[in-house]
Amino acid sequence: MALYEIPLTPEPQSFGISLAGRELRLAVRWAESTCPDAPGGWLLDIFDAPDDLAPLVLGIPLVAGCDLLRPYAYLGLGGGLSLSGDMPPDLDNLGEDVLLLFETEVDNA
């Protein structure tokens, strides 16, 4: 197994990336909460690339303490996504204090 950091900044963004040999486009966006007592949160969209940019999964909440891709294992993305630490990222710390990590199922070395 190998662990890779996906470089992010605390702003909405979209970029191409190769994960476990598969070309994807990731988009990260902030969603405000409609509840005045609840904070907003970051959402992740994953698109197939480079051919058609078909959406594979939209609106994955970036929450701590779990494999974000586990419910989507049928997509065969070759690994799991998780956040570093125990707290979800806020509007200002995504990619700085809270990292998005991809762990491959097999070591490509």
Side-chain angles (χ1 to χ4, degrees), residues 10-91:
E11 60 190 10
Q13 59 207 277
S14 176
F15 54 91
I17 190 167
S18 179
L19 296 178
R22 185 162 178 183
E23 296 298 318
L24 301 169
R25 177 159 288 280
L26 303 184
V28 181
R29 57 193 160 90
W30 179 262
E32 289 293 337
S33 173
T34 57
C35 179
D37 296 332
W42 289 100
L43 300 176
L44 172 67
D45 301 330
I46 303 175
F47 300 88
D48 208 4
D51 298 331
D52 59 7
L53 291 181
L56 296 175
V57 183
L58 301 176
I60 301 172
L62 295 186
V63 296
C66 65
D67 176 0
L68 302 173
L69 295 179
R70 175 164 266 169
Y72 313 105
Y74 63 90
L75 293 173
L77 297 178
L81 278 177
S82 61
L83 296 177
S84 64
D86 297 330
M87 298 299 295
D90 61 32
L91 188 57

